Amino acid sequence: EALWDLLHRRIENLSLSQLGPMLFSATALVSGLNVGPRAGTITMQTKTVTPLPASVKPGVVTGEALWDLLQHAKENKYAIPAVNVVSSCSISSCLEAAAKYGGPMIVQFSRGGGQFIAGKTADNADDAACIAGSVAGALHVRQVAELYGVPVILHTDHCQRSWLPWFDGLMDANEKYFKANGEPLFSSHMLDLSEEPLEENVGTCKEYLQRMAKCNILLEMELGVTGGEEDGVDNTDIDSSRLYTQPEEVWEVYQQLSSVPNGRFTVAAAFGNVHGVYAPGNVDLQPQILHNTQKYISEKLGDGDPKPTCFVFHGGSGSSREDIRYAIEAGTIKMNIDTDTQWAFWDGVREYEAKYHDYLQGQIGNPEGETKPNKKYYDPRMALRSGEEAMAKRLCEAAEDLNCIDVLNWSK
């Protein structure tokens, strides 16, 4: 049944030469991994988006407003794009895109991205530069986000155990900001202890969530392992079996983290995800795992909620719209897209250089004359702006994949 469902979805776009390998792959998939059949054809664009909760306003959202926004995404079957930013340029690209596609945006900082913002030669003893750059970036977003008229989630990406000094420094900044402003600096943070035994992973996450809950910060935790390599996290040689999370593991997380008073959390449950972009056929995503997990937890709870968990999709770059939409159907409310946006920014800069190549070979002299100045061409803002525009365009395309177009139905 899964094979015929797969054929039904894709056969119209296949040539005869492509059909044979696909049949082999699909047959191997059905026999090798018991994930169950997919549901019928997914249609998502025709649904009317319900009004946003009154708590959600333009600018950075935290606490209950953040949770209300994530529930709105789950109920209306869209996911929010999340991008690792490394400068004011990539931040501006994210906010520009969100204003254009009419939806929320997740601006997130990696440990390495924070250090880059602080400056690569800044003293990084005890992760000082990583902390300072991440905090500076968050403060910058807070100053400008409201100007774009969209809700923005401030988040940080993967943090393994050896990077906890960075996480602790960010929590110190959150608590200081909370004391002064009544809300945390960041909306949420991610702990990635997925390479550790489940008990240790969940135990540490619960310990940190108890601290985070006191100032209304949401925790994103990871189960299973996201393959590939990204920003210092290298899982290229990981055992493929660890790329797929089991429902029982998510249920254990749900039970433990739900017991934390005021605790809010999302789960990045692996279903074959891989960081980076790879040739077709090299990544085997199984979003049915998320559907099965929701059903499992819903039956355990017995409260009638068909999707009790908020899932996060890591390694979204290069994924098909079909897989993305099917993951959203299972309660995915966030998708990371980093590799594709990095390429888009570079491609914009590259196109600018190609277009004005003859004006960028010296300060004086170009095709218009030997004494003509070139300052307006080599002004850094020109090439960087081209990168911003290309990255924003790619994010608008991602928002369409995520069903996140025109979802800001503001409450009256």
Side-chain angles (χ1 to χ4, degrees):
E1 185 177 353
L3 171 59
W4 287 113
D5 181 59
L6 182 63
L7 288 172
H8 174 73
R9 292 173 187 275
R10 298 182 177 177
I11 195 167
E12 292 182 351
N13 297 319
L14 292 174
S15 66
L16 188 60
S17 62
Q18 293 172 305
L19 185 57
M22 191 206 75
L23 283 168
F24 176 81
S25 175
T27 305
L29 182 154
V30 173
S31 63
L33 184 63
N34 184 20
V35 296
R38 290 192 177 187
T41 302
I42 301 167
T43 56
M44 303 172 71
Q45 294 289 353
T46 57
K47 183 176 179 179
T48 301
V49 178
T50 61
L52 281 166
S55 61
V56 180
K57 308 291 185 185
V60 175
V61 294
T62 63
E64 285 302 313
L66 167 61
W67 191 246
D68 289 345
L69 176 58
L70 298 183
Q71 296 305 308
H72 183 264
K74 185 161 63 169
E75 291 164 8
N76 288 277
K77 297 180 180 177
Y78 67 89
I80 307 169
V83 180
N84 285 11
V85 295
V86 297
S87 69
S88 62
C89 290
S90 46
I91 290 170
S92 296
S93 298
C94 291
L95 300 179
E96 178 180 340
K100 286 181 176 178
Y101 65 69
M105 169 59 70
I106 300 174
V107 175
Q108 62 188 26
F109 299 85
S110 66
R111 178 173 172 268
Q115 184 184 11
F116 189 84
I117 290 171
K120 291 293 286 185
T121 61
D123 180 10
N124 197 36
D126 300 319
D127 276 353
C130 298
I131 295 165
S134 300
V135 169
L139 290 170
H140 172 81
V141 173
R142 279 193 166 274
Q143 285 292 323
V144 301
E146 193 173 340
L147 302 176
Y148 290 82
V150 297
V152 177
I153 297 170
L154 269 175
H155 182 67
T156 58
D157 205 11
H158 297 268
C159 179
Q160 55 201 30
R161 190 171 295 277
S162 61
W163 294 354
L164 285 177
W166 172 57
F167 198 102
D168 292 334
L170 297 178
M171 282 304 303
D172 291 342
N174 278 312
E175 289 161 350
K176 181 179 179 181
Y177 195 92
F178 185 87
K179 185 176 181 180
N181 300 281
E183 67 172 339
L185 174 59
F186 289 87
S187 311
S188 53
H189 295 294
M190 180 189 185
L191 279 176
D192 179 5
L193 307 176
S194 56
E195 293 191 28
E196 302 185 12
L198 180 63
E199 183 177 357
E200 295 177 18
N201 182 354
V202 177
T204 301
C205 285
K206 184 176 181 179
E207 179 183 335
Y208 271 94
L209 184 57
Q210 289 168 339
R211 180 182 179 185
M212 297 167 73
K214 294 175 183 177
C215 48
N216 297 327
I217 304 172
L218 179 142
L219 170 69
E220 177 187 324
M221 67 86 64
E222 181 161 347
L223 280 175
V225 175
T226 302
E229 189 276 332
E230 180 182 60
D231 213 341
V233 179
D234 188 353
N235 292 324
T236 51
D237 297 322
I238 202 73
D239 183 346
S240 61
S241 66
R242 299 183 65 188
L243 301 178
Y244 301 94
T245 305
Q246 298 304 311
E248 295 82 1
E249 296 172 319
V250 185
W251 171 235
E252 176 64 20
V253 170
Y254 190 94
Q255 287 179 291
Q256 291 296 322
L257 299 189
S258 294
S259 69
V260 176
N262 196 42
R264 302 292 195 188
F265 62 93
T266 60
V267 180
F271 56 98
N273 322 55
V274 175
H275 288 135
V277 176
Y278 298 85
N282 287 351
V283 177
D284 183 17
L285 289 178
Q286 294 297 328
Q288 182 66 43
I289 289 172
L290 305 182
H291 287 264
N292 294 348
T293 299
Q294 293 284 30
K295 183 174 184 293
Y296 182 89
I297 296 176
S298 180
E299 290 174 352
K300 288 287 187 180
L301 294 172
D303 59 3
D305 184 355
K307 292 186 245 183
T309 305
C310 287
F311 286 123
V312 171
F313 185 160
H314 277 250
S317 291
S319 300
S320 70
R321 177 176 291 187
E322 178 195 16
D323 283 334
I324 292 170
R325 293 279 180 90
Y326 199 54
I328 291 171
E329 285 277 353
T332 294
I333 46 78
K334 169 181 182 268
M335 187 181 84
N336 288 13
I337 174 169
D338 185 44
T339 304
D340 282 356
T341 53
Q342 288 179 339
W343 171 258
F345 193 96
W346 156 248
D347 204 34
V349 173
R350 182 195 59 76
E351 287 184 351
Y352 178 85
E353 193 282 332
K355 182 177 181 180
Y356 297 106
H357 176 83
D358 292 342
Y359 295 80
L360 298 170
Q361 303 309 304
Q363 289 184 289
I364 302 292
N366 59 49
E368 298 176 23
E370 294 181 357
T371 62
K372 293 289 185 180
N374 294 318
K375 187 178 187 305
K376 67 178 182 180
Y377 298 102
Y378 63 76
D379 182 332
R381 290 172 294 181
M382 302 301 292
L384 292 174
R385 177 58 187 151
S386 183
E388 288 178 353
E389 290 174 328
M391 180 172 165
K393 180 182 178 182
R394 178 63 184 87
L395 278 170
C396 288
E397 295 168 1
E400 188 172 352
D401 291 339
L402 295 169
N403 207 40
C404 195
I405 303 290
D406 294 327
V407 297
L408 299 182
N409 184 3
W410 297 103
S411 299
K412 305 299 183 183

